[in-house]
Amino acid sequence: MRYTLALHGGAGTLLPEVITPAERKEFTQALDDALKTVLELLKKGSSAVETVVHTVAKLEDCPLFNAGRGSVFSHDGRHEMDAAVMNGADRKAGAVASVSGVKNPVILARTIMEHCPHVFLSGAGAEEFARLHEIDFESEKWFYTRHRYHQWQVAKADNALLLDHTPDDVKYGTVGAVALDVHGQLAAATSTGGLTNKKFGRIGDTPLIGCGTYADDLVAVSCTGWGEFFIRTVAAHQVAMRHRLGETLQSACHSVIDDIEVLGGDGGLIAVNVRGEISMPFNTPGMYRAAGGSHIESFVKIFNEKKP
């Protein structure tokens, strides 16, 4: 039986001529480590849900990416994180928004999916639910990175709202994963720290089922980029519906990203279908991404190197 894993660490990167060899190696190594570790689990029979949650949690623990430990600072100096998980087999989903201190928001999202009558929890209520279910928390020190702090200070001085994937940023990204397991089931998971210096409790597309994250019995999708545009286009669900109505996976995915670009947005997405085919389009200079499986030679890429 086929199995496939695709993951991303965010769309929008430094230009190829600007990123240093050391930076490139650091990011590609982090993605490669996650890919190799989880592919072994998938090969041995790990479910699609277990696979995507494990992958995203591993990326959340890496300070390179804007999720979990590497999350950006909001306007008031907090780390407000969002995440979602969806099981394609039964379309159950769990999502969380604006939580602080939760070590792995994606694990909380899965716990909501499996042990809560609701799909979407936020803020203090979500944190209370996390404590009731003994989800791990970490101190503010765990989430602090010098670069993110500096980025926040610059944004405050300029009264600016910075995307996590702007060209002047060295570290990027919403993280996500999609998987097809050996049982023929699909799942998707996405996690983010949002936008630097964000105000008013802003929530992007990541935890919104059908916008930044979606899975059914045909396809699983995880998005990254300027969230407002992925919300307005219901991007992840649009991919699934286009594919269900007869478009190839490649056509469906590229059409959605093209639509977002027409509206003025940027970003990318990763998708896998029940046949194990993958698509990873983006309209930014690059997207941190990796994939592998029973019929796909494993790869890790940043820029437009023969993209699928």
Side-chain angles (χ1 to χ4, degrees):
M1 189 69 183
R2 287 189 169 194
Y3 60 88
T4 307
L5 171 65
L7 57 104
H8 70 77
T13 66
L14 293 173
L15 298 174
E17 61 268 24
V18 176
I19 190 170
T20 69
E23 290 168 345
R24 188 166 185 153
K25 181 178 180 180
E26 194 173 21
F27 281 105
T28 55
Q29 186 65 56
L31 294 170
D32 190 51
D33 286 347
L35 179 66
K36 286 179 177 177
T37 299
V38 184
L39 269 180
E40 280 301 309
L41 298 176
L42 192 56
K43 182 179 180 180
K44 294 176 181 177
S46 175
S47 73
V49 169
E50 290 169 342
T51 297
V52 296
V53 170
H54 191 94
T55 303
V56 171
K58 191 170 180 62
L59 295 174
E60 285 176 336
D61 288 343
C62 178
L64 294 173
F65 305 105
N66 177 20
R69 191 175 188 181
S71 294
V72 299
F73 287 82
S74 65
H75 181 70
D76 60 3
R78 301 172 71 239
H79 302 281
E80 299 177 358
M81 299 170 288
D82 309 333
V85 178
M86 190 163 185
N87 184 352
D90 53 16
R91 281 184 283 179
K92 287 185 177 179
V96 61
S98 300
V99 293
S100 297
V102 176
K103 181 175 181 286
N104 293 111
V106 72
I107 293 176
L108 175 54
R110 180 184 182 179
T111 305
I112 292 169
M113 179 178 74
E114 296 177 342
H115 300 289
C116 184
H118 312 302
V119 170
F120 198 168
L121 302 182
S122 67
E127 292 165 19
E128 179 183 0
F129 180 87
R131 291 187 178 93
L132 286 173
H133 289 268
E134 300 182 339
I135 301 294
D136 290 341
F137 279 72
E138 291 288 350
S139 67
E140 291 183 7
K141 185 178 180 180
W142 166 263
F143 297 96
Y144 175 89
T145 62
R146 183 184 302 175
H147 174 78
R148 292 302 192 194
Y149 182 80
H150 173 72
Q151 185 184 29
W152 174 49
Q153 295 301 307
V154 170
K156 285 203 303 179
D158 294 340
N159 193 29
L161 180 71
L162 300 183
L163 296 174
D164 67 346
H165 55 282
T166 48
D168 59 344
D169 191 2
V170 179
K171 300 179 181 179
Y172 313 92
T174 302
V175 303
V178 293
L180 169 70
D181 65 28
V182 296
H183 311 290
Q185 297 182 347
L186 296 154
T190 318
S191 180
T192 186
L195 305 182
T196 298
N197 202 39
K198 69 177 180 179
K199 303 177 182 179
F200 314 120
R202 180 263 185 187
I203 296 170
D205 64 306
T206 291
L208 300 183
I209 301 304
C211 297
T213 308
Y214 185 76
D216 58 22
D217 61 353
L218 180 63
V219 66
V221 186
S222 174
C223 303
T224 172
W226 196 337
E228 279 68 17
F229 292 90
F230 286 79
I231 294 170
R232 288 164 56 190
T233 56
V234 200
H237 187 260
Q238 187 183 161
V239 167
M241 289 302 98
R242 283 175 174 270
H243 193 34
R244 188 170 294 279
L245 291 172
E247 285 191 47
T248 66
L249 184 64
Q250 292 287 352
S251 174
C253 291
H254 284 269
S255 294
V256 169
I257 294 302
D258 289 346
D259 187 25
I260 286 170
E261 187 167 13
V262 167
L263 294 177
D266 63 0
L269 61 84
I270 60 173
V272 61
N273 67 14
V274 73
R275 293 186 292 275
E277 299 168 337
I278 61 169
S279 183
M280 303 173 123
F282 53 93
N283 64 2
T284 51
M287 180 170 73
Y288 295 105
R289 63 203 190 278
S294 56
H295 58 294
I296 299 172
E297 185 176 353
S298 295
F299 65 84
V300 177
K301 298 179 180 179
I302 300 177
F303 301 109
N304 272 313
E305 313 101 320
K306 198 177 180 181
K307 64 181 182 180

